[in-house]
Amino acid sequence: MEMTEVRALAREVIDDPTLTYRQRMHRLAGLSENALDPPPVSAACAEALEKRIICDMYEGNAPHRPRYILPDYAKLLRDGSAFLELEPARDLDEALNTLLIGYTQVPSITGYPVWLGDLDALLEPYTEGVSDEELYRRLRLFWIAMDRMLPDAFAHANLGPDDTRVGRTALRLERDLLQVVPNLTLKVDPARTPDDLVRDAVETVFACGKPHFVNHPMMVADLGPEYGVASCYNSLRSGGGSHTLVRLNLREVALLHEGSRSSFLDDLLPRYVELTAELMEARIRHLVEEAGFFEHSWLVADGLLHLDRYSAMFGVFGLAEAVALVLGCEGVTARYGHDDVADELAHQILLRVRDLVAARPMPYCGGNAGRALLHSQSGIDLDVGVTAGCRIPIGEEPGLLRHLQTVTPHHVLFPAGISDILAFDETARRNPDAVVDIVRGALRTGMRDVTFNLDSNDFIRITGYMVRKSDLAKVEDGARHDSTFLGAGAVAQSHGHHRAPKRIMAHELDVGSRR
C-alpha cells in the first residue's frame, strides 16, 4: 500500500466510534504490517493470489507469529513458567490463575489464544476435596473471565473423551451463562465416552450451539494422542500448531476448465495446488527464518511449544461449485448432495488434492512428516457465491441421511479438520436421544466432526465459531467480541442462518455410507 492509503485507513480506524480500544490497536497493527512487502513468490503465484484463486486468509504481509498455537498447558501447570515467574500450580485456584495468565501471553492471528486446552483433563487433578458447589462457583468465575478477557469466538477449549466433574460442570456453565467464549469441542470415544455425557452435551447445544462432537479415535490415528481442536474445528498437534493456513478456491480453478475431466484433475489441479504450496512455503520460511519466532518466543523457551510439532494447513473450499462446473463441461447437470454422479466426482477431486498435497514437501513441518495437513476451510466473511469447504450449499441441503452419506466419505481425508453444519428444527429438542444416536452413528461411520444448530436459541454457528443473534442485531453500534463483526459479514454474504432444517423423529437412524 502507498503511504497515503495507509494514513487514510488508519484515520478511519481511529475515528470509528464502534471499535473498542483493543480493536483499534489490532487493526492498526494489521495496517502497519500490510504496509510492508509480502514474502516473495513467483509471478504465477502472485497472479493467482491477486485473483484469489489462492487465498492467504489475509494473515498479513510479514508473518511474525504462527496462525495457530497450541501450547502444552499441562506442562505450564506442572512446571510453571520462568518467563511468567509462575511456580507449579498446587491447587485449583492456582491452576485457574496460571491458565488465565498464560492465555494473555499466547499470540495468534486474532490477537487472542485460539486454543485454551483440554480443560477437564487439565483441571480435574486439582479438584480433590473441592465440593460440587465450590467447583461450580470457581469455574463460573473462570468461565466469565475467559469471555471478558478473551472476547473472540475463535478462543476454543476441549473436553473429553472421559467423563469428569470438570467436564460436566463446564457443560452446565455453558447452559447457564450462554456466553460466546469459549468455543467448545467434546472429544468422543465409543470406548470411553458414555451416552449420558453425549446427551448432556446435546442438551447444551440446544441451549447455546456448543459443543462440536469430534471423532477421537480418528484424530488420534491421524495426529497422535496429544492433539487439540482449535479456533473453529482446526485439529493440530498440541505443543505445536500450524504456521499458516492458505486455501485453494476450487470454484475458481474450475472456472478455468474447458476440457475433459482428466485435464482438470491432471493439469489444472496440480498447477494450482503447487502455487498454493509455493505461497505456504514462502510464508513459513519468513516466519521461521526471518522473523525468527521460534528463536525468541517464551513458549519455546519454557518448553510449551516445539517447532518439530508444527505443520501447515492446506485449505480447500468451493467444492460444490467446482463439481457443477466440471460436470457442466461434460454436458451433465447434477447437484452435489443430490446426485450420485456429482458426489462421486466430488470425492474424486478431493482424493486428487489429497495425493498432491501428500507428495509435496513443506519446510519446518515435522509435525506431519514434512508435509502440510489437508483442511476443509470453512469460509470467511468476504466469500460470495462460493460454498465453504466441502459442504453442501446453504439452503440446498438434502434430507439427513442423504446429507450424511454425501459428506462422510470426505472426512477421513482431512486430518486438520472438516466440518458440516446440520440444522435441526424443534423436533430435536423433543428427541435428544435420537440426536445422540445421530452423533454416535455419524462418528461410527466415519465423520470426523459432527456439528448442529438449533434455530430456537440465541446462537448462530457461522463457520465453526458462534455469534449471538442479539449481538448481531446491535453490531452497528459496536461489539465487545471482535468475531461478531466477522459473523455479521458472513450472515450478510452467505446467509448461514438459512440452512435447511431437519426433523428428528426416530430414536435410531441408519447413517451407513453408500460407498
Side-chain angles (χ1 to χ4, degrees), residues 241-247 272-286 288-289 307-308 310-315 353 356-374:
S242 177
H243 299 294
T244 186
L245 166 55
V246 179
R247 61 182 188 157
Y272 284 98
V273 165
E274 174 55 32
L275 292 176
T276 306
E278 179 188 344
L279 181 59
M280 295 176 72
E281 179 169 347
R283 297 187 64 80
I284 293 169
R285 289 194 181 280
H286 186 282
V288 177
E289 298 173 359
L307 178 58
D308 63 4
Y310 257 79
S311 185
M313 296 166 69
F314 187 112
V353 173
L356 291 166
V357 172
R360 210 291 189 175
M362 195 64 66
Y364 304 109
C365 286
N368 189 44
R371 300 294 190 272
L373 291 163
L374 194 60

Side-chain angles (χ1 to χ4, degrees), residues 161-162 188-194 216-217 440:
D162 299 314
V188 180
D189 186 329
R192 296 165 58 180
T193 313
H216 182 66
R440 289 286 198 190

